[in-house]
Amino acid sequence: DQQVKQNSPSLSVQEGRISILNCDYTNSMFDYFLWYKKYPAEGPTFLISISSIKDKNEDGRFTVFLNKSAKHLSLHIVPSQPGDSAVYFCAARASGGGTSYGKLTFGQGTILTVHP
Amino acid sequence: GAGVSQSPSNKVTEKGKDVELRCDPISGHTALYWYRQSLGQGLEFLIYFQGNSAPDKSGLPSDRFSAERTGGSVSTLTIQRTQQEDSAVYLCASTAKETQYFGPGTRLLVL
């Protein structure tokens, strides 16, 4: 049961244009969402996050949008740069305490390629 | 450096052997996670340690997998009688507040 889905395995964008990466989820208990970026041979690095009480969070060239009714979030990168080329993972965390608090559920990842 | 470190960075082993993977979290982080990423897949949760609480082992795929965290710091993931399907990148992360910081991973190849 894939609770977090990234349906596009890859995305190719021209430098300077907008990159839009999408993520869908099924678990209504998810209340915090994160995007991670991963370069080859490195661990994922945190990029940006959003709480379920918000619908938008912006950090420089990166903006995350959350549509709770559609259970959908997206990451916008504007303008895209060749150095943004990496695998992008969407992740979600369920609310509540207990031993599972903080556990992240990841999507399969989207490979972004930004062409000069 | 001050980041999460993992060792070894690469491990090749023969089917049936046991392996130990080590994670050194960021100092002061109380929560530690193990994930694995198989080829073409997303990150799969394995186990979660939070302070002195009982760990969440719900992601361990079989009883061949176990993990310990000694003294609230270093963690070891042990895979007994390795199988070829265990081949993956094993990632460790530690947490400050909401954000998980990942190590570079251990690439395990079981021949």
Side-chain angles (χ1 to χ4, degrees), chain B residues 1 7 24 36 39 43 47 55 61 72 98 108:
Chain B
S7 61
D24 285 87
R36 75 174 175 182
L39 190 64
L43 280 73
I47 189 168
E98 307 289 354
L108 174 65

Side-chain angles (χ1 to χ4, degrees), chain A residues 9-10 13 23 37 43 49 53 56 61 72-73 76-77 85 87 90 110 113:
Chain A
S10 63
V13 172
C23 179
K37 179 166 104 171
S49 63
I53 63 174
K56 177 182 174 181
R61 296 185 298 114
H72 177 83
L73 65 155
H76 292 209
I77 307 173
S85 298
V87 180
C90 165
T110 297
T113 304

Side-chain angles (χ1 to χ4, degrees), chain A residues 61-73:
Chain A
R61 296 185 298 114
F62 303 91
T63 303
V64 56
F65 295 92
L66 176 63
N67 182 335
K68 282 195 299 182
S69 61
K71 294 190 174 68
H72 177 83
L73 65 155

Side-chain angles (χ1 to χ4, degrees), chain A residues 36 41 43 93 99-102, chain B residues 33 45 48 56 98 100 103 107:
Chain A
Y36 281 82
R93 189 196 71 196
T99 57
S100 295
Y101 183 73
Chain B
Y33 304 77
F45 166 78
Y48 162 52
D56 176 358
E98 307 289 354
Q100 293 187 17
R107 283 149 197 81

Side-chain angles (χ1 to χ4, degrees), chain B residues 49-108:
Chain B
F49 295 91
Q50 172 62 60
N52 295 321
S53 302
D56 176 358
K57 304 180 181 180
S58 61
L60 295 178
S62 78
D63 58 8
R64 297 186 294 105
F65 288 72
S66 62
E68 291 184 341
R69 189 178 184 195
T70 54
S73 180
V74 171
S75 178
T76 302
L77 177 69
T78 301
I79 309 172
Q80 296 178 310
R81 305 180 303 282
T82 52
Q83 303 294 312
Q84 289 181 332
E85 60 263 28
D86 299 335
S87 298
V89 177
Y90 289 81
L91 291 154
C92 172
S94 66
T95 297
K97 295 183 180 180
E98 307 289 354
T99 304
Q100 293 187 17
Y101 296 88
F102 283 83
T106 294
R107 283 149 197 81
L108 174 65

